[in-house]
Amino acid sequence: MAEFIFIGDSISFPALRDFIFTHKIDAGDTVVLNALDFDRLLLEIKASGEELPDIPMTLLGVLITKDSTDTIPAGKIQIVKNEQPYH
């Protein structure tokens, strides 16, 4: 069963950055956002006057993506660990 993590009432770029840094999310892992939260994040970036990020969007090496299954509740995220092949 997937685990959804609450990181605050408003998912923002600074909140995501702080969460990734604080919880030591590994580069190559993926943070999946509710579609509404993802769209709000893009609007936040656009309103800041900065260029829209390249797609796929990454933050500190972590992929930020939109939930395509509509299962993640608004205000929560899901962490998908990057599966490394065995050597």
Side-chain angles (χ1 to χ4, degrees), residues 28-29 80-86:
D29 290 347
V80 179
K81 299 301 283 177
N82 182 20
E83 295 185 17
Q84 298 289 332
Y86 292 102

Side-chain angles (χ1 to χ4, degrees), residues 4 11 16 30-43 55-58 62-73 76-78 80:
F4 305 123
I11 294 179
L16 272 177
T30 302
V31 171
V32 185
L33 302 174
N34 171 285
L36 183 60
D37 291 327
F38 185 85
D39 291 343
R40 284 182 186 156
L41 189 65
L42 288 177
L43 287 174
I55 301 296
M57 184 174 22
T58 59
V62 175
L63 180 65
I64 310 298
T65 189
K66 184 190 295 193
D67 176 20
S68 61
T69 62
D70 200 29
T71 56
I72 299 175
K76 295 190 177 187
I77 64 172
Q78 179 181 22
V80 179

